[in-house]
Amino acid sequence: MRILQFGCGNMGGAMLAGWLAGGIAPESFTVVDPYLAEAPAGVTLLREAPADAAPFDVVLLGFKPQQLADSAAPIVPLVSEGTVLLSVLAGVDLETLRRLFPAARAIVRVMPNLAAAMGKSPIGLVGEGDAASRAEVDGLMAPLGQAEWLTGEDRMDLVTALAGSGPAFVYRMIDALASGAAELGLPRDQADRLALAMVEGAAALAAASPNSPGELADRVASPGGTTRAGLDVLDAEGRIAALMTDTLRAARDRSAEMTREARARG
């Protein structure tokens, strides 16, 4: 398989690292990035799109969404009827991608996060193509994490908020837990270490448990105990659920706004 990757910044670099760690040969990859200092051993690094290369099996768009209009022209000849086009460009819809790359065999929008480098990313997928194309995409996503096909592109904005932006929200919660512990008397560096270790262990346990996170919370909380006292604060008047809903709504709505902006630019 010949994979051409445009852009190898934070997200593109994480995906490339995950693919290499998952056993895909470095020689399979050609990366086009004018700013990347160096590529992993065996990966071909170019500063601009190859002008005379044969079409690739997979082309990944991994640059900033705002760069699409200026970047598309040299990519078009490299996308043929045998090419699966993958896009991690937030806010750029399938209609826009199909208009720019009409020859592609299949077009799939991909929403991972930086945990793809460790094979631990949730991945939202939505796109077009036959069963063989989807199976090919499933195989490519497997080294990166847990992939989920969406039933409609209208859900991609919400998945962007949850799976793409979600780590930042979790990091903010970890920081808030440590800040709270420091405010109540723990040294800040110790509070940071304990909060991070707690979240790491809790996530691992939740991933391995047959119980839902909500059920696990209730199992940890003994009636009249310390955990229940804390949960009563979080659960009062549905405050934590409302906070998370408002957070995801804001991120989702911004993603939808970006889609409208991308259509206008296209």
Side-chain angles (χ1 to χ4, degrees):
M1 180 177 292
R2 301 177 69 241
I3 303 171
L4 179 61
Q5 179 171 332
F6 284 90
C8 198
N10 290 336
M11 193 64 256
M15 294 177 74
L16 180 59
W19 279 324
L20 295 175
I24 300 180
E27 293 75 18
S28 298
F29 295 93
T30 298
V31 171
V32 179
D33 193 307
Y35 308 108
L36 186 66
E38 61 181 359
V43 174
T44 299
L45 175 60
L46 303 176
R47 296 308 178 190
E48 58 185 23
D52 55 356
F56 287 78
D57 301 302
V58 175
V59 171
L60 171 68
L61 306 181
F63 41 79
K64 295 183 183 301
Q66 302 93 309
Q67 297 174 318
L68 180 58
D70 294 332
S71 302
I75 302 174
V76 171
L78 304 171
V79 178
S80 73
E81 64 276 3
T83 304
V84 174
L85 182 73
L86 304 179
S87 170
V88 297
L89 309 184
V92 180
D93 62 9
L94 293 170
E95 180 182 345
T96 299
L97 293 168
R98 176 54 71 185
R99 185 172 67 253
L100 291 171
F101 304 100
R105 169 163 58 98
I107 297 177
V108 178
R109 292 181 62 188
V110 183
M111 181 48 61
N113 64 41
L114 296 181
M118 301 181 293
K120 296 291 186 181
S121 176
I123 306 166
L125 300 172
V126 66
E128 53 182 58
D130 57 18
S133 298
R134 285 199 169 207
E136 190 174 335
V137 173
D138 284 337
L140 277 172
M141 295 302 113
L144 306 184
Q146 177 65 48
E148 299 279 347
W149 285 93
L150 308 181
T151 56
E153 190 175 14
D154 58 330
R155 297 185 176 180
M156 197 59 164
D157 294 321
L158 182 53
V159 171
T160 298
L162 178 60
S165 302
F169 308 149
V170 174
Y171 301 149
R172 188 69 84 205
M173 291 174 65
I174 297 171
D175 183 66
L177 282 166
S179 295
E183 179 70 20
L184 294 172
L186 275 183
R188 180 59 200 245
D189 60 341
Q190 190 171 55
D192 285 337
R193 292 192 299 271
L194 287 171
L196 185 59
M198 178 277 296
V199 171
E200 182 180 18
L205 180 60
S209 175
N211 302 108
S212 70
E215 292 169 337
L216 287 174
D218 289 333
R219 289 166 69 94
V220 171
S222 302
T226 58
T227 305
R228 176 53 61 191
L231 284 177
D232 286 346
V233 175
L234 291 175
D235 294 340
E237 299 178 349
R239 64 173 67 178
I240 191 168
L243 176 62
M244 290 297 98
T245 300
D246 289 345
T247 299
L248 291 172
R249 180 183 294 112
R252 180 204 65 186
D253 291 352
R254 175 55 185 148
S255 179
E257 184 178 37
M258 290 171 67
T259 299
R260 293 190 293 271
E261 291 170 353
R263 285 199 191 113
R265 286 194 302 268

